[in-house]
Amino acid sequence: MESKREWLWPWISGSRDDSTFGGDEGPSFGWINRSFIESKVDSPMFNNYGGEDRFWIGPEAGQFGLWFRPGDRLTFDDFKTPEGINRGASKVVAADSDRLKQP
C-alpha cells in the first residue's frame, strides 16, 4: 500500500505545503498556517501560508534589502514581498488522482 502523501495547493503560488511517508495518519514534514489561510488575508507585505518548499532570498530589509523598490523609504509601510513569491496562483497543466503538472 502506498503511504507517501503530498499536499499541493496551486492557488498558493504553486507550493508544496505538506508531505508524509506515513499515509493519512503519518507525521507531517511541513507546516500549514491554517488560521492565516482561513482568515483570507491577502497582504502585499507577506502572506505566511506555511509549507515545505517556500523559496526565500535575502536580505529582506535594510540598505540592500530586496523587498524595497528603488527609491522607496526603508520603512515597514514600503516593505513588499515580491509578487511571484508572496501570492498568486500557479497554472495547472494536467492533474489526476496522483499527479499534478505545472509549467
Side-chain angles (χ1 to χ4, degrees):
M1 180 173 169
E2 179 67 38
S3 61
K4 178 183 173 193
R5 300 280 191 273
E6 290 184 277
W7 288 266
L8 303 157
W9 293 347
W11 57 274
I12 301 180
S13 303
S15 66
R16 182 183 72 222
D17 293 295
D18 203 1
S19 67
T20 182
F21 288 104
D24 291 338
E25 303 300 319
S28 169
F29 298 129
W31 172 72
I32 298 173
N33 190 350
R34 288 178 173 84
S35 62
F36 180 81
I37 293 168
E38 290 167 0
S39 75
K40 301 194 185 311
V41 169
D42 184 22
S43 169
M45 290 182 184
F46 177 58
N47 288 313
N48 189 9
Y49 301 116
E52 286 186 357
D53 67 348
R54 295 292 293 203
F55 172 76
W56 212 255
I57 56 176
E60 297 172 6
Q63 177 180 352
F64 302 105
L66 300 171
W67 284 198
F68 293 97
R69 291 185 208 120
D72 279 355
R73 296 167 300 139
L74 300 180
T75 65
F76 195 64
D77 289 338
D78 290 329
F79 181 93
K80 305 280 187 287
T81 303
E83 190 75 17
I85 297 172
N86 191 43
R87 54 162 63 138
S90 177
K91 183 178 179 180
V92 175
V93 176
D96 60 32
S97 64
D98 65 344
R99 289 195 171 35
L100 179 72
K101 183 177 180 183
Q102 296 174 282

